Amino acid sequence: MHAVQPEFVSQTSPKALRHSTRRSARKHQLQRTQQRTRSAALEMSIKLVANGLLSICAASALVQILPQQRLAHDRFNQIQTEVKLTQERVDQEKNHFNRYFDPQQSKSIMQEQSNQVDPAQRPIVWLGEEELTPEEAKPPRTQYMGQQ
Protein backbone atom coordinates (compact mmCIF):
# COMPACT_ATOMS: atom_id res chain seq x y z
CA MET A 1 0.00 0.00 0.00
CA HIS A 2 2.62 2.28 0.91
CA ALA A 3 4.77 1.16 -1.86
CA VAL A 4 6.30 3.59 -4.22
CA GLN A 5 4.21 4.12 -7.20
CA PRO A 6 5.74 4.83 -10.56
CA GLU A 7 5.51 8.40 -11.67
CA PHE A 8 3.02 9.13 -14.34
CA VAL A 9 4.86 10.53 -17.27
CA SER A 10 2.82 12.11 -19.93
CA GLN A 11 3.41 11.02 -23.38
CA THR A 12 2.59 14.41 -24.82
CA SER A 13 5.32 16.42 -26.35
CA PRO A 14 5.86 20.12 -25.70
CA LYS A 15 4.71 20.80 -29.24
CA ALA A 16 1.38 19.14 -28.56
CA LEU A 17 1.08 21.15 -25.36
CA ARG A 18 1.55 24.39 -27.27
CA HIS A 19 -1.12 23.40 -29.79
CA SER A 20 -3.57 22.55 -27.05
CA THR A 21 -2.93 25.83 -25.26
CA ARG A 22 -3.36 27.69 -28.53
CA ARG A 23 -6.60 25.83 -29.19
CA SER A 24 -7.90 26.57 -25.74
CA ALA A 25 -6.89 30.24 -26.12
CA ARG A 26 -8.66 30.44 -29.49
CA LYS A 27 -11.65 28.68 -28.07
CA HIS A 28 -11.70 31.04 -25.12
CA GLN A 29 -11.35 34.05 -27.45
CA LEU A 30 -14.13 32.72 -29.67
CA GLN A 31 -16.36 32.29 -26.63
CA ARG A 32 -15.68 35.88 -25.55
CA THR A 33 -16.48 37.18 -29.05
CA GLN A 34 -19.68 35.14 -29.14
CA GLN A 35 -20.61 36.40 -25.69
CA ARG A 36 -20.02 40.03 -26.78
CA THR A 37 -22.08 39.42 -29.92
CA ARG A 38 -24.91 37.89 -27.88
CA SER A 39 -24.89 40.75 -25.39
CA ALA A 40 -24.90 43.33 -28.23
CA ALA A 41 -27.78 41.49 -29.93
CA LEU A 42 -29.68 41.35 -26.64
CA GLU A 43 -29.08 45.06 -26.07
CA MET A 44 -30.28 45.91 -29.61
CA SER A 45 -33.35 43.73 -29.16
CA ILE A 46 -34.24 45.49 -25.90
CA LYS A 47 -33.76 48.90 -27.55
CA LEU A 48 -35.96 47.89 -30.51
CA VAL A 49 -38.71 46.63 -28.21
CA ALA A 50 -38.58 49.80 -26.09
CA ASN A 51 -38.66 52.05 -29.17
CA GLY A 52 -41.50 50.03 -30.63
CA LEU A 53 -43.52 50.45 -27.44
CA LEU A 54 -42.81 54.19 -27.41
CA SER A 55 -43.92 54.45 -31.05
CA ILE A 56 -47.15 52.61 -30.32
CA CYS A 57 -47.85 54.91 -27.36
CA ALA A 58 -47.18 58.01 -29.47
CA ALA A 59 -49.46 56.80 -32.27
CA SER A 60 -52.19 56.01 -29.76
CA ALA A 61 -51.91 59.49 -28.24
CA LEU A 62 -52.13 61.11 -31.69
CA VAL A 63 -55.22 59.09 -32.56
CA GLN A 64 -56.89 60.32 -29.36
CA ILE A 65 -55.77 63.95 -29.73
CA LEU A 66 -56.68 64.57 -33.40
CA PRO A 67 -60.50 64.60 -32.96
CA GLN A 68 -60.17 66.93 -29.97
CA GLN A 69 -57.93 69.24 -31.98
CA ARG A 70 -60.46 69.36 -34.83
CA LEU A 71 -63.27 70.21 -32.42
CA ALA A 72 -61.18 72.95 -30.85
CA HIS A 73 -60.32 74.35 -34.29
CA ASP A 74 -63.99 74.38 -35.34
CA ARG A 75 -64.97 76.08 -32.10
CA PHE A 76 -62.20 78.65 -32.60
CA ASN A 77 -63.47 79.43 -36.12
CA GLN A 78 -67.01 79.79 -34.81
CA ILE A 79 -65.90 82.17 -32.05
CA GLN A 80 -63.80 84.14 -34.53
CA THR A 81 -66.87 84.59 -36.78
CA GLU A 82 -68.95 85.75 -33.82
CA VAL A 83 -66.24 88.22 -32.81
CA LYS A 84 -66.13 89.60 -36.35
CA LEU A 85 -69.91 90.11 -36.43
CA THR A 86 -69.87 91.71 -33.00
CA GLN A 87 -67.02 94.02 -34.02
CA GLU A 88 -69.01 95.16 -37.07
CA ARG A 89 -72.00 95.86 -34.84
CA VAL A 90 -69.83 97.80 -32.37
CA ASP A 91 -68.34 99.88 -35.18
CA GLN A 92 -71.81 100.66 -36.50
CA GLU A 93 -73.04 101.66 -33.04
CA LYS A 94 -69.96 103.88 -32.55
CA ASN A 95 -70.72 105.67 -35.83
CA HIS A 96 -74.35 106.22 -34.77
CA PHE A 97 -73.23 107.45 -31.35
CA ASN A 98 -70.70 109.86 -32.83
CA ARG A 99 -73.29 111.18 -35.28
CA TYR A 100 -76.05 111.66 -32.72
CA PHE A 101 -73.82 113.37 -30.17
CA ASP A 102 -71.91 115.58 -32.60
CA PRO A 103 -72.82 119.23 -31.80
CA GLN A 104 -72.35 120.33 -35.43
CA GLN A 105 -74.90 117.80 -36.66
CA SER A 106 -77.48 118.28 -33.92
CA LYS A 107 -79.65 120.62 -36.07
CA SER A 108 -79.75 118.25 -39.03
CA ILE A 109 -80.55 115.28 -36.76
CA MET A 110 -83.40 117.17 -35.08
CA GLN A 111 -84.80 118.05 -38.51
CA GLU A 112 -84.59 114.42 -39.64
CA GLN A 113 -86.35 113.09 -36.59
CA SER A 114 -89.03 115.80 -36.16
CA ASN A 115 -89.74 116.61 -39.82
CA GLN A 116 -89.54 120.32 -39.02
CA VAL A 117 -87.62 122.75 -41.17
CA ASP A 118 -85.30 125.45 -39.92
CA PRO A 119 -86.96 128.85 -40.47
CA ALA A 120 -83.75 130.18 -42.05
CA GLN A 121 -83.91 127.53 -44.77
CA ARG A 122 -85.85 128.10 -47.94
CA PRO A 123 -87.52 125.18 -49.62
CA ILE A 124 -86.35 124.39 -53.15
CA VAL A 125 -88.96 123.14 -55.60
CA TRP A 126 -87.66 121.30 -58.63
CA LEU A 127 -89.77 121.59 -61.74
CA GLY A 128 -89.96 118.76 -64.20
CA GLU A 129 -88.89 119.42 -67.82
CA GLU A 130 -92.50 119.19 -69.07
CA GLU A 131 -93.44 122.19 -66.90
CA LEU A 132 -90.72 124.42 -68.40
CA THR A 133 -91.17 126.55 -71.48
CA PRO A 134 -88.80 125.85 -74.40
CA GLU A 135 -86.75 128.99 -73.66
CA GLU A 136 -86.29 128.02 -70.02
CA ALA A 137 -85.38 124.45 -70.96
CA LYS A 138 -82.22 125.61 -72.77
CA PRO A 139 -79.12 125.37 -70.65
CA PRO A 140 -77.99 128.79 -69.45
CA ARG A 141 -74.90 130.31 -70.97
CA THR A 142 -71.95 130.17 -68.62
CA GLN A 143 -70.47 133.55 -67.88
CA TYR A 144 -67.16 134.15 -66.27
CA MET A 145 -66.09 137.20 -64.39
CA GLY A 146 -65.12 140.03 -66.67
CA GLN A 147 -67.01 138.57 -69.69
CA GLN A 148 -70.30 139.69 -71.14
Side-chain angles (χ1 to χ4, degrees):
M1 272 213 195
H2 293 293
V4 179
Q5 303 252 339
E7 277 188 34
F8 179 72
V9 179
S10 110
Q11 303 259 333
T12 59
S13 67
K15 202 175 193 183
L17 280 176
R18 274 189 253 144
H19 280 299
S20 70
T21 56
R22 282 184 192 165
R23 274 189 233 146
S24 66
R26 283 185 199 155
K27 189 175 181 181
H28 187 63
Q29 187 178 11
L30 183 63
Q31 286 175 350
R32 270 194 257 153
T33 306
Q34 287 176 349
Q35 186 178 8
R36 284 186 205 142
T37 306
R38 277 191 218 120
S39 64
L42 179 65
E43 181 184 350
M44 288 296 212
S45 299
I46 291 172
K47 284 182 180 180
L48 284 173
V49 168
N51 286 333
L53 288 174
L54 288 174
S55 298
I56 290 170
C57 290
S60 169
L62 280 176
V63 167
Q64 291 176 358
I65 281 178
L66 283 177
Q68 293 175 358
Q69 191 269 342
R70 283 190 193 130
L71 288 174
H73 192 302
D74 292 343
R75 180 71 178 141
F76 174 74
N77 286 339
Q78 182 182 8
I79 289 172
Q80 206 171 22
T81 304
E82 290 176 11
V83 166
K84 189 175 181 181
L85 291 173
T86 304
Q87 186 63 42
E88 289 174 3
R89 233 176 55 222
V90 166
D91 291 341
Q92 185 180 16
E93 292 299 324
K94 275 185 183 177
N95 289 336
H96 285 300
F97 179 82
N98 290 338
R99 183 173 180 266
Y100 288 135
F101 288 96
D102 186 9
Q104 287 133 355
Q105 294 184 4
S106 60
K107 265 190 180 181
S108 62
I109 292 171
M110 286 190 294
Q111 286 177 5
E112 286 175 15
Q113 292 182 356
S114 66
N115 292 327
Q116 293 181 353
V117 180
D118 186 15
Q121 282 186 334
R122 293 186 184 178
I124 298 175
V125 179
W126 294 97
L127 298 176
E129 288 192 26
E130 60 274 347
E131 297 176 15
L132 297 175
T133 62
E135 294 153 1
E136 294 172 335
K138 290 181 185 174
R141 186 173 156 226
T142 308
Q143 291 185 354
Y144 298 101
M145 226 175 188
Q147 287 185 348
Q148 299 240 352

Coordinates of all heavy atoms in Angstrom, one line a residue, residues 91-131:
D91 N -68.8 98.8 -34.3 CA -68.3 99.9 -35.2 C -69.5 100.7 -35.7 O -69.5 101.9 -35.7 CB -67.5 99.4 -36.4 CG -66.2 98.8 -36.0 OD1 -65.7 99.2 -34.9 OD2 -65.6 98.1 -36.8
Q92 N -70.6 100.0 -36.0 CA -71.8 100.7 -36.5 C -72.4 101.5 -35.4 O -72.8 102.7 -35.6 CB -72.8 99.6 -37.0 CG -74.1 100.2 -37.6 CD -75.0 99.1 -38.1 OE1 -74.9 98.0 -37.7 NE2 -76.0 99.5 -38.9
E93 N -72.5 100.9 -34.2 CA -73.0 101.7 -33.0 C -72.2 102.9 -32.7 O -72.7 103.9 -32.3 CB -73.2 100.7 -31.8 CG -74.2 99.7 -32.0 CD -75.6 100.2 -32.2 OE1 -76.0 101.3 -31.6 OE2 -76.4 99.6 -33.0
K94 N -70.9 102.7 -32.8 CA -70.0 103.9 -32.6 C -70.2 105.0 -33.5 O -70.3 106.2 -33.2 CB -68.5 103.4 -32.7 CG -67.9 102.9 -31.5 CD -66.4 102.6 -31.7 CE -65.8 101.9 -30.5 NZ -64.4 101.6 -30.8
N95 N -70.4 104.6 -34.8 CA -70.7 105.7 -35.8 C -72.0 106.4 -35.5 O -72.1 107.6 -35.6 CB -70.8 105.1 -37.2 CG -69.4 104.6 -37.7 OD1 -68.4 105.2 -37.2 ND2 -69.3 103.7 -38.6
H96 N -73.1 105.6 -35.1 CA -74.3 106.2 -34.8 C -74.2 107.1 -33.6 O -74.7 108.2 -33.5 CB -75.4 105.2 -34.5 CG -75.9 104.5 -35.7 ND1 -76.6 105.1 -36.7 CD2 -75.9 103.2 -36.1 CE1 -76.9 104.3 -37.6 NE2 -76.5 103.1 -37.3
F97 N -73.5 106.7 -32.6 CA -73.2 107.5 -31.4 C -72.5 108.8 -31.7 O -72.9 109.8 -31.2 CB -72.4 106.6 -30.3 CG -72.1 107.4 -29.1 CD1 -73.1 107.4 -28.1 CD2 -70.9 108.0 -28.9 CE1 -72.8 108.1 -26.9 CE2 -70.6 108.7 -27.7 CZ -71.6 108.7 -26.7
N98 N -71.4 108.7 -32.5 CA -70.7 109.9 -32.8 C -71.6 110.8 -33.6 O -71.5 112.1 -33.4 CB -69.5 109.5 -33.6 CG -68.4 108.8 -32.8 OD1 -68.4 108.9 -31.6 ND2 -67.5 108.0 -33.4
R99 N -72.4 110.3 -34.5 CA -73.3 111.2 -35.3 C -74.3 111.9 -34.4 O -74.6 113.0 -34.5 CB -74.0 110.4 -36.4 CG -74.8 111.2 -37.3 CD -75.3 110.4 -38.4 NE -76.2 111.2 -39.3 CZ -77.5 111.3 -39.2 NH1 -78.1 110.6 -38.3 NH2 -78.1 112.1 -40.0
Y100 N -75.0 111.1 -33.5 CA -76.0 111.7 -32.7 C -75.6 112.6 -31.7 O -76.3 113.5 -31.2 CB -76.8 110.5 -32.0 CG -77.7 109.8 -33.0 CD1 -77.7 108.4 -33.0 CD2 -78.4 110.4 -34.0 CE1 -78.5 107.7 -33.8 CE2 -79.2 109.7 -34.9 CZ -79.2 108.3 -34.8 OH -80.0 107.6 -35.7
F101 N -74.3 112.5 -31.2 CA -73.8 113.4 -30.2 C -72.8 114.4 -30.7 O -72.1 115.0 -29.9 CB -73.2 112.5 -29.0 CG -74.2 111.9 -28.2 CD1 -74.6 110.5 -28.5 CD2 -74.9 112.5 -27.2 CE1 -75.5 109.9 -27.7 CE2 -75.9 111.9 -26.5 CZ -76.2 110.6 -26.7
D102 N -72.8 114.6 -32.0 CA -71.9 115.6 -32.6 C -72.7 116.9 -32.6 O -73.7 117.1 -33.1 CB -71.6 115.2 -34.0 CG -70.5 116.1 -34.7 OD1 -70.0 117.0 -33.9 OD2 -70.3 116.0 -35.9
P103 N -72.1 118.0 -31.9 CA -72.8 119.2 -31.8 C -73.0 119.9 -33.2 O -74.0 120.6 -33.3 CB -71.9 120.1 -30.9 CG -70.7 119.3 -30.6 CD -70.9 118.0 -31.2
Q104 N -72.2 119.7 -34.1 CA -72.4 120.3 -35.4 C -73.5 119.7 -36.2 O -74.1 120.3 -37.1 CB -71.0 120.3 -36.2 CG -70.0 121.2 -35.7 CD -68.6 120.5 -35.6 OE1 -68.5 119.3 -35.8 NE2 -67.7 121.3 -35.1
Q105 N -73.8 118.5 -35.9 CA -74.9 117.8 -36.7 C -76.2 117.8 -35.9 O -77.2 117.2 -36.3 CB -74.5 116.4 -37.0 CG -73.3 116.3 -37.9 CD -73.0 114.8 -38.3 OE1 -73.7 113.9 -37.9 NE2 -71.9 114.7 -39.0
S106 N -76.3 118.4 -34.7 CA -77.5 118.3 -33.9 C -78.7 118.9 -34.6 O -79.8 118.3 -34.6 CB -77.3 118.9 -32.6 OG -77.0 120.3 -32.7
K107 N -78.5 120.0 -35.4 CA -79.6 120.6 -36.1 C -80.2 119.7 -37.1 O -81.4 119.5 -37.2 CB -79.2 121.9 -36.7 CG -79.5 123.1 -35.9 CD -79.2 124.4 -36.8 CE -79.5 125.6 -35.9 NZ -79.3 126.8 -36.7
S108 N -79.3 119.1 -37.9 CA -79.7 118.2 -39.0 C -80.4 117.0 -38.5 O -81.4 116.5 -39.0 CB -78.6 117.9 -40.0 OG -77.6 117.2 -39.2
I109 N -79.9 116.5 -37.4 CA -80.5 115.3 -36.8 C -81.9 115.6 -36.2 O -82.9 114.8 -36.4 CB -79.6 114.7 -35.7 CG1 -78.3 114.2 -36.3 CG2 -80.3 113.6 -34.9 CD1 -77.3 113.8 -35.3
M110 N -82.1 116.8 -35.6 CA -83.4 117.2 -35.1 C -84.4 117.3 -36.2 O -85.5 116.9 -36.1 CB -83.3 118.5 -34.3 CG -82.7 118.3 -32.9 SD -82.8 119.7 -31.8 CE -81.8 120.9 -32.7
Q111 N -83.9 117.9 -37.3 CA -84.8 118.0 -38.5 C -85.2 116.7 -39.1 O -86.4 116.5 -39.4 CB -84.1 118.9 -39.6 CG -84.0 120.3 -39.3 CD -83.2 121.1 -40.3 OE1 -82.9 120.5 -41.4 NE2 -83.0 122.4 -40.1
E112 N -84.3 115.8 -39.1 CA -84.6 114.4 -39.6 C -85.6 113.7 -38.8 O -86.6 113.1 -39.3 CB -83.3 113.5 -39.7 CG -82.4 113.9 -40.7 CD -81.1 113.0 -40.6 OE1 -81.1 112.0 -39.9 OE2 -80.1 113.4 -41.3
Q113 N -85.5 113.8 -37.5 CA -86.4 113.1 -36.6 C -87.7 113.8 -36.3 O -88.7 113.1 -36.0 CB -85.6 112.8 -35.3 CG -84.5 111.9 -35.5 CD -83.7 111.5 -34.2 OE1 -84.1 112.1 -33.1 NE2 -82.8 110.7 -34.3
S114 N -87.8 115.1 -36.5 CA -89.0 115.8 -36.2 C -89.8 116.3 -37.4 O -90.9 116.8 -37.3 CB -88.8 117.0 -35.2 OG -88.0 118.0 -35.9
N115 N -89.2 116.2 -38.6 CA -89.7 116.6 -39.8 C -90.1 118.1 -39.8 O -91.0 118.6 -40.5 CB -91.0 115.8 -40.2 CG -90.6 114.4 -40.5 OD1 -89.6 114.1 -41.0 ND2 -91.5 113.5 -40.2
Q116 N -89.4 118.9 -39.0 CA -89.5 120.3 -39.0 C -88.4 120.9 -39.8 O -87.3 120.4 -39.8 CB -89.6 120.9 -37.6 CG -90.8 120.4 -36.8 CD -90.8 121.0 -35.4 OE1 -89.9 121.6 -35.0 NE2 -92.0 120.7 -34.7
V117 N -88.6 122.1 -40.4 CA -87.6 122.8 -41.2 C -87.2 124.0 -40.4 O -87.9 124.7 -39.8 CB -88.2 123.1 -42.6 CG1 -87.2 123.8 -43.4 CG2 -88.7 121.9 -43.3
D118 N -85.9 124.3 -40.5 CA -85.3 125.5 -39.9 C -85.9 126.7 -40.6 O -86.0 126.7 -41.8 CB -83.8 125.4 -40.1 CG -83.1 126.5 -39.4 OD1 -83.7 127.2 -38.5 OD2 -81.9 126.8 -39.6
P119 N -86.3 127.7 -39.8 CA -87.0 128.8 -40.5 C -86.0 129.6 -41.4 O -86.4 130.3 -42.3 CB -87.4 129.7 -39.3 CG -87.1 129.0 -38.1 CD -86.4 127.7 -38.4
A120 N -84.7 129.5 -41.2 CA -83.8 130.2 -42.1 C -83.6 129.5 -43.4 O -83.0 130.0 -44.3 CB -82.4 130.3 -41.3
Q121 N -84.0 128.3 -43.5 CA -83.9 127.5 -44.8 C -85.1 127.8 -45.7 O -86.2 128.0 -45.2 CB -83.9 126.0 -44.5 CG -82.6 125.5 -44.0 CD -82.6 124.0 -43.9 OE1 -83.7 123.4 -43.8 NE2 -81.5 123.4 -44.0
R122 N -84.8 127.9 -46.9 CA -85.9 128.1 -47.9 C -86.1 126.8 -48.7 O -85.1 126.2 -49.1 CB -85.4 129.2 -48.9 CG -85.4 130.5 -48.2 CD -85.1 131.6 -49.3 NE -84.9 132.8 -48.6 CZ -84.7 134.0 -49.2 NH1 -84.5 134.0 -50.5 NH2 -84.5 135.1 -48.5
P123 N -87.3 126.4 -48.9 CA -87.5 125.2 -49.6 C -87.2 125.4 -51.1 O -87.4 126.4 -51.7 CB -89.0 124.9 -49.4 CG -89.6 126.2 -49.0 CD -88.5 127.0 -48.4
I124 N -86.7 124.4 -51.7 CA -86.4 124.4 -53.1 C -87.3 123.4 -53.8 O -87.5 122.3 -53.4 CB -84.9 123.9 -53.4 CG1 -83.9 124.9 -52.7 CG2 -84.6 123.8 -54.9 CD1 -82.5 124.4 -52.8
V125 N -88.0 123.9 -54.9 CA -89.0 123.1 -55.6 C -88.4 122.9 -57.0 O -88.1 123.8 -57.7 CB -90.3 123.8 -55.7 CG1 -91.3 123.0 -56.5 CG2 -90.9 124.2 -54.3
W126 N -88.2 121.7 -57.3 CA -87.7 121.3 -58.6 C -88.8 121.1 -59.6 O -89.8 120.5 -59.3 CB -86.9 120.0 -58.6 CG -85.6 120.1 -57.7 CD1 -85.4 119.7 -56.5 CD2 -84.4 120.6 -58.2 NE1 -84.2 120.0 -56.0 CE2 -83.5 120.5 -57.1 CE3 -83.9 121.2 -59.4 CZ2 -82.2 121.0 -57.2 CZ3 -82.6 121.6 -59.5 CH2 -81.7 121.5 -58.4
L127 N -88.7 121.7 -60.7 CA -89.8 121.6 -61.7 C -89.3 120.5 -62.7 O -88.1 120.5 -63.1 CB -90.0 122.9 -62.5 CG -90.5 124.1 -61.6 CD1 -90.6 125.3 -62.4 CD2 -91.8 123.8 -61.0
G128 N -90.3 119.7 -63.2 CA -90.0 118.8 -64.2 C -89.8 119.4 -65.5 O -90.2 120.6 -65.8
E129 N -89.2 118.8 -66.5 CA -88.9 119.4 -67.8 C -90.2 119.7 -68.6 O -90.2 120.6 -69.4 CB -88.0 118.5 -68.6 CG -86.6 118.5 -68.1 CD -85.6 117.8 -69.1 OE1 -85.9 117.8 -70.3 OE2 -84.6 117.3 -68.6
E130 N -91.2 118.9 -68.3 CA -92.5 119.2 -69.1 C -93.2 120.5 -68.6 O -94.0 121.1 -69.3 CB -93.5 118.0 -68.9 CG -93.9 117.7 -67.5 CD -92.9 116.7 -66.8 OE1 -92.0 116.1 -67.4 OE2 -93.0 116.6 -65.6
E131 N -92.9 121.0 -67.4 CA -93.4 122.2 -66.9 C -92.7 123.4 -67.4 O -93.2 124.5 -67.2 CB -93.4 122.2 -65.4 CG -94.3 121.0 -64.8 CD -94.2 121.0 -63.3 OE1 -93.7 121.9 -62.7 OE2 -94.6 119.9 -62.7

